[in-house]
Structure formats: C-alpha cells, structure tokens
Amino acid sequence: MKAIIVIFGNSGAGKDTLADFLKARLPDSDRMSFAWNLKQAAFHLLGIPDNVSFGTQEQKLSFLAYGKNARQWLQWLGTEVGRNMIHLDIWVDRLADIINYENYEIEREHKSWGGPLYDYIIVSDGRFKNEACLGDHLKSPTLVLNILILRPGLQADLSHPSESEVYAMAQEPVKWFDYVVVNDGDLTKLEKSAEELALAIEEKANEQKPLP
C-alpha cells in the first residue's frame, strides 16, 4: 500500500465529493470509513438502512426512529456510546482491523505478489484528533496523509463534539493536516483541486522508500 488519505471537515464541507474525485484519479484506490462498523451497528440496533446512514444529510435528517433522526442516532452511537463509554479509539481500531486484515489476506493468498489489494485507501469521515493518528494503529508502517476541506461561509453546528473538534483542528491546520483544500466554487473547481491534490499525493507516496 502506498498511502492512506484521511479527509477531515465539518458536515457539508464536501468530504465525500472530494473523496469521489480522488478515487477517480488515484490508481488502484478504494474508499473506507471510520463509521462503517458504527453504521452496521445502527442498522442492527435501530433499523437505519445503509442508503440512509451512507446517504445525504437530508436523508439522515428525514429518517426518524424512536424519537430521533438518523443523524442524531449516529452521533450518539459514535460518540456518547462508542468513544465515551467504550474507548476513545474504538472506531479507529475497527478501521485499522479492516485494513490490517485485508493486507494480511492478500499477502496470504498471493504470496508470489505479496502486496496489498489497493495502492490507496481514501477515508472521507475524519472528525477527531485521534483519527489523524490512524497510522499508529496499523501493523505495517504506512504513509497516512490528512486532508482538510474547508467551505467558506458554511455554518457548522458546533453543538456536538463530532463537529466542534474538527472545527478546532482547522484553526491549527499546520499542526494537523498535510494538505488543505478550499471548496469555494462549483463542482468543476473542486474537481480541479482534486486533480492537483491527487498528483501531489502520488508524488509524496512515490518519495517513500520501500520497506526492507
């Protein structure tokens, strides 16, 4: 694996759109998320279907179960239950498990090649400081690049930690992020920014010395 790209930003900044553009431009890439296991739990516990939990904010807000909308339930399960009651790193560890397992399975089944399934993994739901340290949870040393996407004029709801923490991180971009993308135009402009970012990511990944 050449690199893992983690995209951070407040809700509505354009994280998923940027991830889609990057996936189209980075060879042998795939998308994953910190919230994948969380959203599976939401389906089994609350009946929130995948098309809602992985859907738009409008879909999450319009789906109601037991007196709350899907967005509220996902925030509660992810932060109040997962991070606060079980462990701060629960969702980082579960994503690392998936990456570690996939690499192991490919190496075991294709020993003559001995490489991972994808060159690039794109994670589009970064929101917390510990998620910027995903590399510390992986079995093999891997380049992890943290990307911040900003949307000027976006009125973020900072009442929940999943929004307020990434907002605070954005106030110190040099400390937390390798690249910053400003989403201040239409989709064509964002796509152009993604093209330039993909080239920079490939150049950075190719600078890494292969492991002995």
Side-chain angles (χ1 to χ4, degrees), residues 94-109 138-139:
R94 296 294 74 76
L95 176 58
D97 285 345
I98 295 172
I99 296 171
N100 290 333
Y101 176 79
E102 288 201 357
N103 286 344
Y104 169 76
E105 285 297 296
I106 293 300
E107 184 175 356
R108 181 175 64 81
E109 295 177 9
L138 302 176
K139 290 181 179 178

Side-chain angles (χ1 to χ4, degrees), residues 10 12 31 68 85 103-104 139 142 145 163 173 194-195 203:
N10 284 109
R31 289 188 56 181
K68 294 183 179 181
M85 296 181 66
N103 286 344
Y104 169 76
K139 290 181 179 178
T142 304
L145 298 172
E163 294 293 330
E195 290 177 1
E203 182 177 352

Side-chain angles (χ1 to χ4, degrees), residues 174-188:
V174 175
K175 178 179 179 179
W176 292 106
F177 306 109
D178 299 285
Y179 302 97
V180 176
V181 174
V182 179
N183 183 13
D184 61 353
D186 57 15
L187 287 176
T188 300

